[in-house]
């Protein structure tokens, strides 16, 4: 999910000088990742919308503290993550994500009804296992696989040092495999 | 399994449905046009604000003995209670048979020592232990054949999730800094480690070794190293764990 605008440094620079249109262009460019990230944290669309809006407002007012030349997205995602966590009503809320109905899945990924059913079953088992993980594990798994964030962005979102993301992912995957339990035989096929 | 799990997660991602992203630009523009609200501290005169900060710092210093390391409470007790886990506190041995496992374990390994000789996990990797065999550089710890032990205890360290119980008679506890992070250097008799696992259950285990221990927390992980090397060398090894 790389949606970095090609003229990002120029837009950031103009926004820092008070150019509201330039900041508006940044909002458009990063609205999707900001909203989805907030949704990953809050599990609720209305809360995610409020959190994303608030995060952009905070980012606008903090632009003078942004280090010019550095990537904007991790900086923004740190603000989004903090804002969304503060707004989340339940500390242990499960992922609000849904699995797409099979009928809407791309046809080419369903070579046969049997294969499709098996794949759906595995997806549901994996999804349930992710939901059973502690919130900080869900965050790194969701950030890595569902939002395709970089390690630096996951670190910013989770509020940890970039060097620890790999070990956190390692542990989260280990716990995920443990949560799958006997249902994980297919991982050993 | 790691590769298959990766592939399964990538496949799952293709089936995940997010709600439609709302239009944010106009709402953000309307809010940024308003004057910013002042924070609660803003109306306070600077001198009063500084006095408040000083009061907080004084309160923190008073509690420093037990709360120097985030998430860790160190308690000195007359005698140790019985450990709830004592059979094999290091847990299940990892095979270290694949490049992926070696690479992942390396995330906790001090660069000063390189890869461990053995690695263990407790439960769902809530504790990862790296074992280095005794050698001429690493003096053996009480006949266990082990020269140094690195343990990383996972968890978003919030509140006092980890508690160390040390016998007050004979325990030496020194507040130290590890790469800028606060920590303890604990010497003396064995101590008991008690922590709350990701499942919310409290666990306790007697330290199987009786080497001196350096303990510190960084980014939500509590680290401890047991060794017979003394504080200076143990800290040098601790600081070579990649941040």
């Amino acid at each position: 999910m790389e949606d970095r605008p090609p003229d990002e440094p120029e837009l950031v620079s103009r926004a820092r000088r008070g150019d509201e249109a330039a900041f508006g262009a940044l909002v458009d460019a990063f609205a999707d990742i900001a909203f989805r990230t907030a949704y990953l944290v809050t599990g609720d669309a209305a809360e995610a919308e409020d959190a994303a809006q608030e995060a952009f407002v905070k980012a606008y007012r903090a632009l003078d503290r942004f280090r010019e030349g550095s990537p904007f997205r991790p900086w923004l995602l740190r603000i989004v993550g903090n804002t969304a966590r503060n707004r989340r009503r339940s500390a242990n809320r499960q992922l609000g994500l849904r699995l797409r109905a099979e009928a809407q899945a791309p046809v080419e990924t369903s070579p046969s009804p049997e294969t499709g059913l098996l794949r759906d079953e595995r997806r549901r088992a994996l999804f349930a296992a992710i939901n059973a993980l502690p919130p900080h594990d869900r965050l790194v798994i969701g950030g890595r696989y569902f939002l395709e964030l970089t390690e630096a962005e996951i670190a910013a979102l989770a509020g940890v040092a970039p060097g620890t993301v790999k070990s956190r992912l390692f542990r989260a995957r280990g716990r995920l495999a443990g949560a799958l339990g006997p249902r994980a035989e297919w991982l050993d096929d | 399994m790691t590769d298959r799990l990766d592939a399964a997660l990538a496949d799952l991602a293709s089936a995940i449905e997010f709600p439609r992203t709302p239009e944010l630009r106009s709402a953000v523009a309307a809010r940024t046009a308003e004057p910013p609200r002042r924070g609660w501290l803003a109306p306070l005169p600077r001198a009063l604000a500084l006095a408040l900060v000083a009061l907080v710092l004084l309160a923190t210093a008073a509690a420093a003995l037990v709360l120097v390391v985030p998430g860790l409470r160190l308690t000195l007790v007359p005698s140790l209670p019985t450990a709830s886990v004592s059979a094999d506190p290091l847990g299940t041995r990892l095979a270290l048979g694949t490049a992926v496992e070696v690479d992942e374990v390396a995330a906790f390994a001090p660069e000063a020592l390189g890869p461990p000789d053995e690695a263990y996990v407790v439960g769902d990797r809530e504790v990862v232990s790296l074992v280095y065999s005794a050698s001429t550089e690493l003096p053996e710890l009480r006949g266990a054949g082990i020269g140094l032990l690195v343990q990383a205890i996972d968890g978003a360290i919030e509140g006092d999730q980890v508690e160390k119980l040390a016998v007050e008679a004979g325990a030496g506890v020194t507040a130290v800094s590890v790469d800028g992070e606060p920590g303890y250097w604990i010497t003396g008799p064995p101590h008991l480690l008690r922590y709350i696992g990701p499942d919310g259950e409290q666990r306790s285990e007697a330290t199987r070794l009786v080497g001196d221990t350096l303990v510190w927390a960084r980014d939500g992980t509590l680290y401890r190293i047991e060794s017979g090397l003394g504080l200076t060398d143990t800290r040098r090894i601790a600081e070579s764990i990649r941040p």
Side-chain angles (χ1 to χ4, degrees), chain A residues 171, chain B residues 125-128 151-155 157 162 193 195-196 205 220-224:
Chain A
R171 283 172 154 148
Chain B
R125 287 173 163 73
E126 59 213 44
V127 180
V128 176
Q151 286 188 304
I153 302 169
D154 186 30
I157 303 283
V162 181
L193 192 65
Y195 62 97
I196 297 171
E205 60 187 50
T221 296
L222 187 79
Y223 293 90
R224 59 191 302 279

Side-chain angles (χ1 to χ4, degrees), chain B residues 186-200:
Chain B
I186 304 167
T187 59
H191 51 271
L192 190 79
L193 192 65
R194 180 186 285 172
Y195 62 97
I196 297 171
D199 55 2

Side-chain angles (χ1 to χ4, degrees), chain A residues 110-132:
Chain A
S110 296
S112 74
E114 292 79 12
T115 309
L117 283 172
L118 187 62
R119 188 192 55 197
D120 285 353
E121 188 183 322
R122 289 174 176 177
R123 282 176 175 172
R124 279 195 296 272
L126 189 55
F127 192 67
I130 292 171
N131 258 326

Side-chain angles (χ1 to χ4, degrees), chain B residues 129-202:
Chain B
S129 298
L130 309 183
V131 174
Y132 293 84
S133 300
S135 64
T136 48
E137 289 81 27
L138 300 176
E140 186 172 9
L141 298 168
R142 292 282 178 98
I146 297 174
L148 186 138
L149 174 71
V150 177
Q151 286 188 304
I153 302 169
D154 186 30
I157 303 283
E158 292 168 359
D160 301 329
Q161 288 200 352
V162 181
E163 181 175 34
K164 258 181 188 294
L165 301 181
V167 179
E168 53 194 358
V173 180
T174 310
V176 296
S177 167
V178 179
D179 227 358
E181 305 288 349
Y184 294 119
W185 173 243
I186 304 167
T187 59
H191 51 271
L192 190 79
L193 192 65
R194 180 186 285 172
Y195 62 97
I196 297 171
D199 55 2
E201 295 292 314
Q202 189 183 74

Side-chain angles (χ1 to χ4, degrees), chain A residues 21 23-25 27-28 31-32 35-36 39 45 49 52-54 56-57 60-61 97-100 104 119 123 126-127 130 134 136 141 145-147 160-161 163-164 166-168 170-171 173-178 180 186-189, chain B residues 1-2 4-6 8-25 27-28 31-37 94 103-105 107-108 121 124-128 152-156 198 219-221 223 242-243:
Chain A
F23 190 72
V27 174
D28 282 344
D32 214 28
F35 173 73
R36 290 182 173 204
Y39 187 73
E49 179 176 358
Q53 248 188 51
E54 190 180 333
F56 276 119
V57 173
Y60 180 76
R61 295 194 170 130
L97 302 174
R98 287 178 302 178
L99 285 176
R100 188 182 296 119
Q104 296 171 353
R119 188 192 55 197
R123 282 176 175 172
L126 189 55
F127 192 67
I130 292 171
H136 58 277
I141 293 274
Y145 294 97
F146 303 155
L147 298 178
V160 301
T164 66
K166 191 179 283 187
S167 60
R168 281 171 181 271
F170 163 63
R171 283 172 154 148
R173 280 195 301 250
R175 277 192 277 269
L176 180 56
L180 281 164
W186 47 272
L187 289 175
D188 297 322
D189 283 350
Chain B
M1 177 185 274
T2 303
R4 285 186 181 276
L5 187 57
D6 267 345
L9 283 164
D11 169 67
L12 178 64
S14 70
I16 289 291
E17 194 170 50
F18 280 91
R20 179 195 292 269
T21 302
E23 197 280 325
L24 294 174
R25 182 172 182 166
V28 171
R31 290 179 59 180
T32 54
E34 297 167 3
R37 270 177 270 172
L94 288 181
D103 183 50
E104 288 175 335
V105 165
F108 307 100
V121 294
D124 296 333
R125 287 173 163 73
E126 59 213 44
V127 180
V128 176
I153 302 169
D154 186 30
D219 299 323
T221 296
Y223 293 90
R242 285 190 307 223

Side-chain angles (χ1 to χ4, degrees), chain A residues 11-81:
Chain A
L11 289 175
V12 172
S13 182
R14 282 169 45 202
R16 279 163 62 94
R17 297 195 299 271
D19 184 334
E20 290 176 9
F23 190 72
L26 288 170
V27 174
D28 282 344
F30 295 112
D32 214 28
I33 189 65
F35 173 73
R36 290 182 173 204
T37 299
Y39 187 73
L40 187 69
V41 175
T42 63
D44 179 272
E47 281 184 43
E49 179 176 358
D50 287 348
Q53 248 188 51
E54 190 180 333
F56 276 119
V57 173
K58 285 179 180 172
Y60 180 76
R61 295 194 170 130
L63 275 173
D64 57 342
R65 297 199 296 273
F66 175 74
R67 193 154 47 87
E68 205 154 353
S70 58
F72 184 74
R73 207 170 93 150
W75 183 76
L76 174 67
L77 291 185
R78 181 181 295 277
I79 299 173
V80 171

